[in-house]
Amino acid sequence: EPEVTQTPSHQVTQMGQEVILRCVPISNHLYFYWYRQILGQKVEFLVSFYNNEISEKSEIFDDQFSVERPDGSNFTLKIRSTKLEDSAMYFCASSGLAGSSHEQYFGPGTRLTVT
Amino acid sequence: AQSVTQLGSHVSVSEGALVLLRCNYSSSVPPYLFWYVQYPNQGLQLLLKYTSAATLVKGINGFEAEFKKSETSFHLTKPSAHMSDAAEYFCAVKYGTSYGKLTFGQGTILTVHP
């Protein structure tokens, strides 16, 4: 069964460093998303991406964040200068064609720890 | 603004007992509704979805949920809990287009006792 994959599973970085989180969405999906979950809090939407551009972004997704689909398979989230409060589990998700069912399929997540 | 409320951050049941996890949404426009499950150290797995077809939705692992517009609710139930159902459950809502964002509730941790 197709699934969303994410690497690495755990990333530890120092404050101020850049990190790139990687995702491989389901191959025939067209819409891509990043969410995050700070420990003990709810899952929060960060950004959605379609047709090589951002469709929607939350207020969390400031200039320190960027997304890219560098090739036909990967979808990345970059944090330019990490802060302590960026420590969270980051989930990538993808969904299919317009008019199809609305569910998003999630990857296993990357746990980011900023020290 | 769209929001989802899950009543009860922790629910504990005995094996074989009824599971009821509550979810209410706030909107005058019927949304698309989802329940996801998260097992320890794993990602979010879709249990079931409501997308304006039948109001009683059946999902995986014996779970089902009923959309009640008059109560703005989408509670998740399972007639008989199994030890393997122990996990965190998230209700989520989406409005509008098929590529819209999901808004999640705060999650309910389900514990199943032998």
Side-chain angles (χ1 to χ4, degrees):
Chain A
E1 182 177 331
E3 59 181 18
V4 178
T5 60
Q6 291 185 242
T7 54
S9 58
H10 192 188
Q11 174 89 47
V12 181
T13 188
Q14 289 189 327
M15 192 168 50
Q17 295 297 305
E18 174 183 287
V19 294
I20 298 176
L21 309 182
R22 291 182 168 79
C23 168
V24 179
I26 294 173
S27 63
N28 62 347
H29 281 184
L30 299 177
Y31 303 97
F32 314 111
Y33 311 82
W34 284 101
Y35 294 82
R36 79 173 185 188
Q37 184 181 29
I38 295 172
L39 188 63
Q41 298 185 25
K42 65 172 67 176
V43 178
E44 302 173 291
F45 168 78
L46 291 178
V47 65
S48 59
F49 192 84
Y50 169 71
N51 198 26
N52 286 318
E53 61 183 26
I54 291 173
S55 304
E56 185 178 3
K57 61 183 180 180
S58 72
E59 59 187 22
I60 302 168
F61 194 88
D62 60 21
D63 292 344
Q64 293 299 312
F65 292 87
S66 62
V67 290
E68 191 177 34
R69 188 155 162 83
D71 53 40
S73 60
N74 290 285
F75 180 51
T76 62
L77 174 70
K78 181 192 291 187
I79 309 175
R80 288 187 182 81
S81 178
T82 51
K83 305 171 189 172
L84 294 176
E85 53 266 36
D86 293 327
S87 295
M89 181 73 89
Y90 288 80
F91 293 105
C92 174
S94 69
S95 65
L97 299 171
S100 67
S101 53
H102 293 244
E103 63 263 33
Q104 295 176 16
Y105 295 87
F106 283 77
T110 293
R111 180 167 298 283
L112 176 65
T113 302
V114 182
T115 61
Chain B
Q2 55 193 18
S3 67
V4 179
T5 302
Q6 291 183 241
L7 295 176
S9 58
H10 289 82
V11 170
S12 181
V13 301
S14 299
E15 192 172 20
L18 171 71
V19 175
L20 170 61
L21 305 182
R22 300 178 187 273
C23 172
N24 289 86
Y25 64 93
S26 62
S27 172
S28 59
V29 177
Y32 301 106
L33 292 154
F34 306 84
W35 277 98
Y36 283 86
V37 61
Q38 185 179 31
Y39 298 103
N41 300 314
Q42 295 188 27
L44 298 165
Q45 180 183 2
L46 180 69
L47 271 179
L48 48 79
K49 63 182 180 185
Y50 167 76
T51 56
S52 75
T55 56
L56 182 61
V57 180
K58 294 188 184 298
I60 62 172
N61 302 337
F63 284 93
E64 62 182 37
E66 186 173 7
F67 172 70
K68 292 186 176 180
K69 183 179 178 181
S70 60
E71 298 177 7
T72 60
S73 69
F74 190 57
H75 302 330
L76 181 70
T77 60
K78 182 174 180 177
S80 177
H82 192 273
M83 297 294 289
S84 61
D85 294 327
E88 188 162 16
Y89 293 79
F90 293 93
C91 182
V93 64
K94 180 164 64 171
Y95 297 90
T97 62
S98 59
Y99 53 81
K101 67 182 180 185
L102 290 173
T103 299
F104 284 86
Q106 293 185 311
T108 299
I109 296 173
L110 176 66
T111 303
V112 182
H113 297 287

